[in-house]
C-alpha cells in the first residue's frame, strides 16, 4: 500500500501546482483586456503630490491640444512608469514606452494579427508610422513632428495618451470611464484618480536631477 500512497501524494502535488498556475493565469488575464496592462513600477522616489518640473510643459500642451486636464496625464505617467524612472520601459505583459501602450492599441487593433492582450510583435517601422496608425485606427501621435510616432519618445507618448483618454471620454468630462479603458481594472482607476485629485489640489514641482542625486546620496 505504501507505493500507492506515494503515488497519490504525487497526484495531489501535481494537482495543487496546476491549480496555482491556473489561478495566476486567470489573474493576469483578468487584468489585461482590450490592451490594458498591469502596472510594474520601480522604486517610488516621489511624494504623492510631486511631479517632475521637466515634464510640465509637455503635459500642459498635450492637455490643451486634446482638451483634457494636464494633471490626468501626469497621474497616468506617475502610475505607469513612475515618471519614466523604470529601468525598463517594457512590462512583462508587453506594454511599451513612457505611457505603457500595448502595441495594438498604439498602432490600431485592426492591424493584422492583433488580438488577445494586444502584445503582438509589430515591426518598429510600422508601429511608429503615422500613416499605418491612421489606417488601422491607432492612438499613436507624432507630437514632435519628426515623422514617427514613437512610444519611447516622451512627447509622442504623452500626446498619444492624451489622444486615447480624450477619445474615450475624458475630453467630455468622463474621466473615470476613460481611465478604465486605459486599463480595465478598478484598482488602477482608483490609483490614477488618487494622483489626479492630489495634483489638482496641491501639486509640488520637483527636479528629476535632484531626486536622482538624493537617491544616490549625492
Amino acid at each position: 500500500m505504501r507505493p500507492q500512497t506515494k503515488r497519490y501524494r504525487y497526484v495531489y502535488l501535481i494537482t495543487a501546482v496546476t491549480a496555482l498556475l491556473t489561478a495566476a493565469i486567470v489573474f493576469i488575464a483578468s487584468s489585461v483586456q482590450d490592451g490594458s496592462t498591469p502596472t510594474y513600477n520601480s522604486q517610488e522616489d516621489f511624494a504623492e503630490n510631486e511631479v517632475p518640473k521637466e515634464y510640465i510643459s509637455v503635459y500642459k500642451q498635450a492637455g490643451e491640444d486634446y482638451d483634457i486636464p494636464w494633471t490626468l496625464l501626469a497621474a497616468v505617467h506617475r502610475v505607469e512608469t513612475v515618471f519614466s524612472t523604470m529601468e525598463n520601459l517594457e512590462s512583462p505583459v508587453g506594454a511599451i514606452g513612457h505611457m505603457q501602450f500595448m502595441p495594438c492599441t498604439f498602432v490600431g487593433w485592426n492591424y493584422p494579427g492583433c488580438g488577445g492582450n494586444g502584445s503582438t510583435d509589430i515591426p518598429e517601422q510600422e508601429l511608429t508610422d503615422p500613416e499605418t496608425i491612421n489606417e488601422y485606427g491607432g492612438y499613436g501621435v507624432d507630437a514632435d513632428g519628426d515623422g514617427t510616432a514613437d512610444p519611447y519618445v516622451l512627447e509622442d507618448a504623452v500626446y498619444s495618451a492624451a489622444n486615447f483618454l480624450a477619445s474615450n471620454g475624458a475630453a467630455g468630462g468622463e474621466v473615470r470611464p476613460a481611465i478604465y479603458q486605459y486599463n480595465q481594472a478598478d484598482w488602477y482607476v482608483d490609483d490614477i484618480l488618487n494622483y489626479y485629485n492630489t495634483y489638482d489640489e496641491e501639486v509640488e514641482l520637483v527636479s528629476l536631477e535632484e531626486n536622482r542625486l538624493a537617491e544616490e546620496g549625492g
Side-chain angles (χ1 to χ4, degrees):
M1 295 294 291
R2 288 184 180 177
Q4 187 176 17
T5 301
K6 186 175 183 181
R7 185 186 67 183
Y8 286 147
R9 287 177 180 171
Y10 282 131
V11 171
Y12 294 148
L13 179 60
I14 292 171
T15 301
V17 171
T18 301
L20 287 172
L21 289 174
T22 301
I25 292 171
V26 169
F27 173 78
I28 292 173
S30 66
S31 300
V32 184
Q33 301 177 39
D34 298 328
S36 64
T37 174
T39 303
Y40 298 87
N41 287 346
S42 61
Q43 180 65 35
E44 300 183 6
D45 300 313
F46 298 88
E48 189 173 18
N49 69 329
E50 292 180 340
V51 175
K53 62 183 180 182
E54 292 89 342
Y55 300 150
I56 294 299
S57 61
V58 177
Y59 297 149
K60 288 187 174 181
Q61 190 60 59
E64 181 178 337
D65 288 353
Y66 285 92
D67 197 25
I68 64 173
W70 72 264
T71 45
L72 176 57
L73 293 169
V76 172
H77 196 188
R78 172 63 166 78
V79 172
E80 288 292 352
T81 60
V82 196
F83 301 122
S84 301
T85 60
M86 284 173 52
E87 186 174 344
N88 186 357
L89 294 180
E90 297 178 3
S91 83
V93 296
I96 57 176
H98 296 277
M99 303 298 270
Q100 293 290 277
F101 272 93
M102 299 306 285
C104 287
T105 304
F106 197 82
V107 78
W109 281 83
N110 291 321
Y111 182 87
C114 276
N117 73 343
S119 60
T120 301
D121 186 14
I122 301 172
E124 181 181 352
Q125 184 175 357
E126 295 187 359
L127 177 70
T128 62
D129 178 32
E131 291 186 6
T132 300
I133 292 170
N134 182 62
E135 178 181 356
Y136 294 112
Y139 293 97
V141 174
D142 173 20
D144 59 7
D146 68 351
T148 62
D150 191 338
Y152 293 97
V153 171
L154 180 70
E155 191 173 358
D156 290 356
V158 171
Y159 269 72
S160 299
N163 183 21
F164 181 98
L165 292 164
S167 299
N168 282 278
E174 298 294 322
V175 173
R176 188 179 186 92
I179 299 170
Y180 186 78
Q181 290 305 314
Y182 206 97
N183 187 337
Q184 297 179 6
D186 289 332
W187 63 263
Y188 176 87
V189 176
D190 291 340
D191 211 11
I192 295 291
L193 287 175
N194 175 57
Y195 286 110
Y196 168 57
N197 292 327
T198 298
Y199 298 155
D200 266 351
E201 293 171 5
E202 188 180 2
V203 66
E204 181 176 348
L205 303 185
V206 296
S207 168
L208 282 173
E209 181 64 15
E210 290 174 3
N211 265 37
R212 183 185 66 79
L213 291 174
E215 181 183 355
E216 295 175 353

